[in-house]
Amino acid sequence: MTDTGPASLPAADRPDTAARLRDALLAASFTADGLLDLLGAPAYAALARSETVPALRATRGDTPLETLVRLFLLQQPVPHARVAAVLPVREALEAGWLRRVGGDEVAATVDVRPYGGPGGEDWFIVSDLGCAVGGAGGIGQHDEGVVLGVGGASTTLAGITVRTPVASALDLGTGSGIQALHAAQHATRVTATDLNPRALHITALTLALSGAPAADLREGSLFEPVREDETFDLIVSNPPFVISPGARLTYRDGGMGGDDLCRSLVRQAGERLTEGGFAQFLANWQHVAGEDWQDRLRSWVPRGCDAWIVQREVQDVTQYAELWLRDAGDHRGDPAEYQARYDAWLDEFEARKVRAVGFGWITLRRTGSAEPVVTVEEWPHPVEQPLGETVRAHFDRLDYLRAHDDAALLDSRFKLAPEVVQEQVGLPGAEDPEHVVLRQHRGMRRATKVDTVGAGFAGVCDGTLSAGRILDAIAQLVGEDAVLLRDRTPAQIRLLVEQGFLEPAAD
């Protein structure tokens, strides 16, 4: 990147200045932990909701950390002398991180927000002023080309991404660069694209200020900037997935009809993956009258890819329209204009026979298998982030199950996954439970009903005996024909393995 970006942004081609600024920020404990210590949990949480009053009250002193919070997080003018005691102020002014205001004060030109990396790293996410967390402040009242910081969608995608070391990673629609920053920790080469040149400029700033390697930054929509012969080990995208009438806001509206942008993104990803590579997206999808939503999503999956698609939330069309109208701040404007925009959303949905909109995660993995596995499920319940290892393990288990027919499964040994508990449900005082539930306390935190044989089988699995020998022992205990038990149980074992309750024991 050169210094040809928007005039209101800091220069992106001055790594020495960014490094000295970073050192100064760290020296003042301008970190996620430092902010929590200074502000306290309530004020810190309020910042994530774009509420600044508690933080303003907590930073009325003149310590270096309070100065930086007021300058970069709260966007308040600060006396030049106070800033000079904390930052290399002359360099910061020359490079455009700061600007002079009033008589003898300086102000930030961008929002700089501390962000804790998964390994305890101290990173800094750059975004446009007033756009650090997105949505909750009427972002739509800004210019449509603004670049948002880290919101819930960004952290969700970062948490579910598989983090194995790879040679190449692609971040489509990089925004403020948070996904590229994560990828830089485990990918030798990172490519980041965005339709908005301002986003690419800010991504360069985020990477430089966080002390991360520079990425290959390319302007264009979706896969347009990617050469036809390029493939990647990891593709991630938090795209502008909002299903809206038109493309008023660049950061959220895809500009294609309905959910076509998300569908196109998923379908095109397969040919861009190396063998075994992962593509992971957040997406919205339409629930159309007369269509099964799961079949709709299965049709998106490209040939040669396993897929795991999880629907986390569903909203009816009125809830959905209201959510994004509020995101843009339209509810604070002219009531007639708000009503007209609301009508336009509902007209669009009615024309497409859309009854609701789903939100969730889509993970693809390029596979050499002749029979790829596509799993589409609804799971609105709490999960334990980060889930990247859970996602990777899901696809490893698919490979294992594909490679083992029922006979091989019965010859295999299994272990009960860590922190799985058994719950028995029934009437008080009853001799036998009505049903037994196995529940995970890690990862997806699934729960599944099993019969008494399944519960007994899972409880005995410690990696020492084969599945077949365990079933033979159970058959003898319950007085059942061992051959019949062996014949009907593999389907239940497969389900327990697929959902992560049982793990194949190492040979």
Side-chain angles (χ1 to χ4, degrees), residues 22-106:
R22 171 180 171 79
D23 289 343
L25 298 177
L26 294 175
S29 297
F30 188 64
T31 63
D33 289 340
L35 288 183
L36 184 58
D37 289 341
L38 171 68
L39 302 178
Y44 188 74
L47 274 180
R49 302 190 299 269
S50 294
E51 295 291 349
T52 60
V53 172
L56 284 167
R57 293 174 60 86
T59 56
R60 289 177 286 195
D62 59 0
T63 67
L65 181 54
E66 287 170 301
T67 297
L68 293 176
V69 171
R70 283 196 160 248
L71 186 67
F72 286 118
L73 267 65
L74 304 178
Q75 282 105 53
Q76 300 293 306
V78 179
H80 183 283
R82 281 183 59 184
V83 177
V86 184
L87 299 177
V89 68
R90 181 182 59 82
E91 284 185 79
L93 284 165
E94 290 178 354
W97 290 94
L98 303 175
R99 60 186 177 88
R100 292 187 180 274
V101 295
D104 191 30
E105 293 182 318
V106 296

Side-chain angles (χ1 to χ4, degrees), residues 358-497:
F359 167 81
W361 319 326
I362 298 177
T363 299
L364 308 177
R365 186 190 60 168
R366 190 77 185 175
T367 178
S369 172
E371 297 182 4
V373 176
V374 176
T375 302
V376 183
E377 62 175 319
E378 185 165 18
W379 190 253
H381 311 293
V383 298
E384 181 192 47
Q385 285 275 33
L387 278 169
E389 180 59 24
T390 298
V391 173
R392 186 202 60 75
H394 169 87
F395 289 92
D396 284 350
R397 292 194 297 270
L398 290 186
D399 287 342
Y400 176 87
L401 292 172
R402 258 195 299 245
H404 290 72
D405 60 16
D406 286 356
L409 207 64
L410 293 174
D411 284 339
S412 300
R413 293 173 292 113
F414 299 95
K415 295 189 300 182
L416 190 66
E419 298 194 40
V420 172
V421 298
Q422 175 179 304
E423 300 173 357
Q424 297 187 167
V425 181
L427 294 174
E431 184 175 346
D432 296 313
E434 292 179 11
H435 59 263
V436 178
V437 174
L438 298 182
R439 188 178 301 278
Q440 301 168 348
H441 283 272
R442 303 298 302 272
M444 291 293 287
R445 294 177 174 168
R446 293 185 185 277
T448 189
K449 289 182 182 180
V450 293
D451 59 19
T452 53
V453 171
F457 178 87
V460 175
C461 284
D462 61 2
T464 58
L465 296 176
S466 70
R469 290 186 62 186
I470 293 174
L471 291 178
D472 291 344
I474 291 175
Q476 188 172 5
L477 283 172
V478 300
E480 187 170 340
D481 186 285
V483 175
L484 293 177
L485 190 62
R486 278 175 170 256
D487 186 56
R488 69 177 175 85
T489 306
Q492 189 169 191
I493 297 175
R494 285 187 181 278
L495 180 64
L496 293 176
V497 172

